[in-house]
Amino acid sequence: MKENKLTPGSNMMWEASRMILPEHKERINDYQYERDRKNKPELAEEEVNIISQQLSDSMLSKLEVTIELFRAFGQNELKTGIISKFDTQLSQIKLQNEDEYEWIKFDDIVGVS
Protein backbone atom coordinates (compact mmCIF):
# COMPACT_ATOMS: atom_id res chain seq x y z
CA MET A 1 0.00 0.00 0.00
CA LYS A 2 1.31 3.43 -0.95
CA GLU A 3 1.74 5.86 1.95
CA ASN A 4 -0.12 9.17 1.81
CA LYS A 5 -1.22 11.94 4.18
CA LEU A 6 -4.19 9.96 5.45
CA THR A 7 -2.34 6.71 6.16
CA PRO A 8 -2.67 5.92 9.91
CA GLY A 9 0.59 6.59 11.78
CA SER A 10 1.95 8.71 8.94
CA ASN A 11 3.58 12.05 9.63
CA MET A 12 3.35 13.29 6.05
CA MET A 13 0.61 15.80 6.92
CA TRP A 14 3.20 17.85 8.85
CA GLU A 15 6.21 17.37 6.56
CA ALA A 16 5.88 20.85 5.05
CA SER A 17 6.06 22.52 8.49
CA ARG A 18 9.49 21.11 9.35
CA MET A 19 11.24 24.21 8.03
CA ILE A 20 13.13 26.31 10.60
CA LEU A 21 13.69 29.98 9.90
CA PRO A 22 17.31 31.19 10.18
CA GLU A 23 16.30 33.50 13.05
CA HIS A 24 14.86 30.55 14.97
CA LYS A 25 17.90 28.39 14.36
CA GLU A 26 20.21 31.19 15.52
CA ARG A 27 18.16 31.64 18.69
CA ILE A 28 18.22 27.89 19.41
CA ASN A 29 22.01 27.85 18.99
CA ASP A 30 22.38 30.91 21.26
CA TYR A 31 20.24 29.25 23.91
CA GLN A 32 22.29 26.04 23.83
CA TYR A 33 25.52 28.05 24.08
CA GLU A 34 24.29 30.19 26.99
CA ARG A 35 22.92 27.15 28.82
CA ASP A 36 26.51 25.98 29.39
CA ARG A 37 27.61 29.29 30.98
CA LYS A 38 29.01 29.02 34.53
CA ASN A 39 28.79 31.71 37.18
CA LYS A 40 32.00 33.02 38.71
CA PRO A 41 32.40 31.90 42.33
CA GLU A 42 32.37 34.68 44.92
CA LEU A 43 35.66 34.76 46.80
CA ALA A 44 35.62 35.49 50.52
CA GLU A 45 37.65 38.46 51.73
CA GLU A 46 40.15 36.10 53.34
CA GLU A 47 40.69 34.26 50.04
CA VAL A 48 41.22 37.57 48.21
CA ASN A 49 43.83 38.57 50.81
CA ILE A 50 45.66 35.24 50.46
CA ILE A 51 45.68 35.54 46.65
CA SER A 52 47.00 39.11 46.76
CA GLN A 53 49.70 38.10 49.28
CA GLN A 54 50.85 35.23 47.04
CA LEU A 55 50.96 37.57 44.03
CA SER A 56 52.99 40.11 46.02
CA ASP A 57 55.41 37.42 47.20
CA SER A 58 55.89 36.27 43.61
CA MET A 59 56.71 39.77 42.46
CA LEU A 60 59.10 40.57 45.32
CA SER A 61 61.00 37.27 45.37
CA LYS A 62 60.72 36.52 41.62
CA LEU A 63 59.12 33.13 42.33
CA GLU A 64 57.05 31.36 39.71
CA VAL A 65 53.33 31.02 40.45
CA THR A 66 50.42 29.26 38.79
CA ILE A 67 47.30 31.39 38.43
CA GLU A 68 43.86 29.88 37.91
CA LEU A 69 41.66 32.06 35.68
CA PHE A 70 37.89 31.80 35.58
CA ARG A 71 36.33 30.90 32.24
CA ALA A 72 32.53 31.07 31.89
CA PHE A 73 32.53 28.44 29.16
CA GLY A 74 34.67 25.37 29.59
CA GLN A 75 37.30 24.66 32.21
CA ASN A 76 39.23 27.28 34.15
CA GLU A 77 42.59 28.14 32.61
CA LEU A 78 45.97 27.83 34.35
CA LYS A 79 48.79 30.28 33.62
CA THR A 80 52.31 29.95 35.00
CA GLY A 81 54.94 32.65 35.30
CA ILE A 82 56.45 35.39 37.45
CA ILE A 83 54.54 38.52 38.38
CA SER A 84 56.53 41.47 37.07
CA LYS A 85 54.13 44.39 37.56
CA PHE A 86 50.92 45.42 39.32
CA ASP A 87 48.65 47.96 37.63
CA THR A 88 46.20 49.04 40.32
CA GLN A 89 44.63 51.69 38.11
CA LEU A 90 43.46 49.14 35.54
CA SER A 91 43.16 46.29 38.11
CA GLN A 92 45.52 43.91 36.36
CA ILE A 93 48.88 42.17 36.74
CA LYS A 94 51.65 41.47 34.27
CA LEU A 95 52.58 37.79 34.16
CA GLN A 96 56.04 37.21 32.67
CA ASN A 97 56.74 33.81 31.11
CA GLU A 98 60.20 33.44 29.53
CA ASP A 99 60.17 35.91 26.60
CA GLU A 100 56.43 36.56 26.66
CA TYR A 101 54.17 38.48 29.01
CA GLU A 102 50.44 38.73 29.49
CA TRP A 103 48.17 41.17 31.31
CA ILE A 104 45.65 39.43 33.56
CA LYS A 105 42.69 41.14 35.20
CA PHE A 106 42.29 40.74 38.97
CA ASP A 107 38.60 39.86 38.49
CA ASP A 108 39.50 36.78 36.41
CA ILE A 109 41.70 35.23 39.12
CA VAL A 110 40.08 32.53 41.25
CA GLY A 111 43.20 30.88 42.69
CA VAL A 112 47.00 31.07 43.00
CA SER A 113 49.47 28.35 43.88
Side-chain angles (χ1 to χ4, degrees), residues 62-82:
K62 303 291 185 203
L63 293 174
E64 189 170 84
V65 293
T66 301
I67 299 174
E68 183 179 359
L69 303 174
F70 174 75
R71 296 295 178 239
F73 301 100
Q75 281 191 289
N76 289 349
E77 188 176 353
L78 297 175
K79 300 278 184 173
T80 303
I82 298 171

Side-chain angles (χ1 to χ4, degrees), residues 41-53:
E42 288 292 322
L43 298 176
E45 186 176 339
E46 184 177 313
E47 291 175 301
V48 172
N49 290 338
I50 291 171
I51 289 171
S52 63
Q53 183 65 40

Side-chain angles (χ1 to χ4, degrees), residues 54-55 57-66 81-83:
Q54 289 173 325
L55 294 174
D57 291 345
S58 171
M59 189 173 106
L60 295 175
S61 59
K62 303 291 185 203
L63 293 174
E64 189 170 84
V65 293
T66 301
I82 298 171
I83 307 301

